């Protein structure tokens, strides 16, 4: 089998799959951006009484945990190493099509059920306050009878609290099976969605005052930036609702009845996240309308002032034109106070027009 792995620049909404064009389905070809030099494995094996945590030097050290009575969490950082992904897949009997999905970092969040495994793809999201951009990383989760295997693009995930609960025997996690561990991982990912939504929401709401009082071209750029990020956010969170619905209804020994109420609660959080994102998208559309209305109103104010000046100067120009004509017998042409009389008439005309505009409420 030909295995290719190389870093390439990817679009956010759709990643091109030209690398595996024409290949046999299930071919292991990494499609994404390589984010670390060397892959890294971590293993956490535990039950109610014991805990083993280490980093294997060789992938084969993980294989003995396939048929143990304890719960094992195997995590691979660096899915660009297709050889290591293939070895894990062959030993744990993971279908080649699932491994193909693991290696495609543009995969849509989804869940697939097999006889002895459940496969889940999600996106871990972080919001960069400074750059105002959402950073995405794909996480693939394979749930077996007594093990969970996760595939990540790079270190620096959001699972620190889950690891601490396992180490310190906090909560239910040490007393439940792999399904509860999978729920805990997904719950942490969704919690991070909510945190990111809160951060981006605060910045979106701060735009309202800016739009009303001092809307500028930079304000318009911010609105478009937020709209793009919200669209991307919705793209990777909406499919999670479908995943939760499948997990609630799936009939398999890998998901116990005790865990399904937690999954239902997680489904509510996902729904809340999507609803909030949809609301913010509508708010941004309203902001865009307010911005254009504000710009139009300011332009109208400018045009109104210019029109008033033009209206005032039209009769004054007429008077000045009459006074400046070159006729010898123009009345009061040689009168001593003609110049001052003309100025007085012009001022009176301008004042009368201003009063008229004010009475009409045009000013």
């Amino acid at each position: 089998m030909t295995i290719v792995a190389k870093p390439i620049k990817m679009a956010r909404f759709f990643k091109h799959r030209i690398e595996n064009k024409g290949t046999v389905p299930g071919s292991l070809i990494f499609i994404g951006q390589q984010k670390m030099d060397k892959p890294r494995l971590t293993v956490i094996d535990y039950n109610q009484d014991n805990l083993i945590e280490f980093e294997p030097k060789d992938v084969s050290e993980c294989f003995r945990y396939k048929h143990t009575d304890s719960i094992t969490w195997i995590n691979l950082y660096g899915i660009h190493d297709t050889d290591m992904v293939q070895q894990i897949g062959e030993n744990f009997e993971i279908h080649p099509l699932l491994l193909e999905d693991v290696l495609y970092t543009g995969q849509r969040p989804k869940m697939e059920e097999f006889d002895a495994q459940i496969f889940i793809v999600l996106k871990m999201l972080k919001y960069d306050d400074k750059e105002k951009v959402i950073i995405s990383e794909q996480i693939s989760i394979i749930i077996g009878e007594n093990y969970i295997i996760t595939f990540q693009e790079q270190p620096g995930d959001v699972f620190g609290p889950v690891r601490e609960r396992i180490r310190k025997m906090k909560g239910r996690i040490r007393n439940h099976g792999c399904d509860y561990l999978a729920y805990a991982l997904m719950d942490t990912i969704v919690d991070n969605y909510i945190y990111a939504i809160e951060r981006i929401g605060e910045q979106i709401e701060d735009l309202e005052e800016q739009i009303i009082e001092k809307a500028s071209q930079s304000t318009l750029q911010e609105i478009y930036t937020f709209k793009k990020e919200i669209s991307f956010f919705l793209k990777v969170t909406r499919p999670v609702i479908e995943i939760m619905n499948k997990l609630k209804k799936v009939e398999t020994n890998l998901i116990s009845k005790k865990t399904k109420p937690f999954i239902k609660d997680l489904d509510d959080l996902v729904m809340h996240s999507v609803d909030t994102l949809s609301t913010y998208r509508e708010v941004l559309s309203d902001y865009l309308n307010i911005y254009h209305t504000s710009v139009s109103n300011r332009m109208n104010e400018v045009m109104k002032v210019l029109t008033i000046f033009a209206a005032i100067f039209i009769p004054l120009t007429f008077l000045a034109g009459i006074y400046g004509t070159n006729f010898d017998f123009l009345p009061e042409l040689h009168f001593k106070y003609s110049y001052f009389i003309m100025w007085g008439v012009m001022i009176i005309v301008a004042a009368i027009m201003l009063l008229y505009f004010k009475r009409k409420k045009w000013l």
Side-chain angles (χ1 to χ4, degrees), residues 152-308:
Q152 300 185 52
E153 297 180 56
Q154 62 182 343
D157 54 38
V158 298
F159 299 139
V162 177
R163 295 186 181 96
E164 285 301 307
R165 283 157 57 190
I166 295 174
R167 292 167 186 153
K168 297 180 180 180
M169 298 183 65
K170 289 185 177 180
R172 306 175 177 86
I173 198 163
R174 291 280 288 269
N175 299 317
H176 286 68
C178 287
D179 54 344
Y180 189 85
L181 174 59
Y183 154 75
L185 297 178
M186 292 187 291
D187 181 61
T188 305
I189 292 172
V190 173
D191 282 344
N192 210 59
Y193 290 171
I194 294 174
Y195 175 74
I197 293 170
E198 290 175 352
R199 295 298 304 122
I200 196 172
E202 290 172 1
Q203 294 188 349
I204 289 174
E205 291 171 8
D206 288 341
L207 278 177
E208 182 175 3
E209 183 177 348
Q210 183 178 342
I211 292 170
I212 295 174
E213 294 184 357
K214 49 180 180 179
S216 63
Q217 191 66 29
S218 61
T219 305
L220 180 62
Q221 184 61 44
E222 282 193 72
I223 294 173
Y224 281 124
T225 297
F226 283 127
K227 281 180 71 68
K228 181 180 68 175
E229 296 306 309
I230 290 293
S231 295
F232 177 73
F233 213 143
L234 282 169
K235 175 182 180 291
V236 299
T237 53
R238 274 178 175 159
V240 183
I241 298 175
E242 180 183 345
I243 293 174
M244 295 301 133
N245 287 332
K246 287 184 177 181
L247 286 173
K248 287 188 298 183
K249 298 175 183 179
V250 67
E251 295 182 2
T252 174
N253 294 330
L254 297 176
I255 305 294
S256 66
K257 291 182 179 180
K258 294 181 179 180
T259 303
K260 287 191 176 182
F262 295 103
I263 294 174
K264 184 180 182 302
D265 179 70
L266 186 57
D267 182 38
D268 293 338
L269 287 177
V270 176
M271 289 289 293
H272 175 63
S273 300
V274 172
D275 289 344
T276 304
L277 287 170
S278 299
T279 300
Y280 278 129
R281 187 169 65 173
E282 293 175 3
V283 168
L284 287 169
S285 296
D286 292 340
Y287 283 176
L288 198 58
N289 293 332
I290 293 172
Y291 172 83
H292 289 304
T293 302
S294 177
V295 171
S296 297
N297 288 340
R298 282 190 296 172
M299 182 61 69
N300 290 337
E301 288 294 323
V302 172
M303 293 303 297
K304 183 173 72 173
V305 172
L306 293 177
T307 302
I308 289 172

Side-chain angles (χ1 to χ4, degrees), residues 32-49:
Q33 183 178 3
Q34 182 174 328
K35 298 181 179 179
M36 56 188 300
D37 294 331
K38 296 181 180 180
R40 176 184 159 202
L41 270 171
T42 62
V43 175
I44 298 179
D45 182 80
Y46 65 90
N47 54 28
Q48 294 182 6
D49 304 314

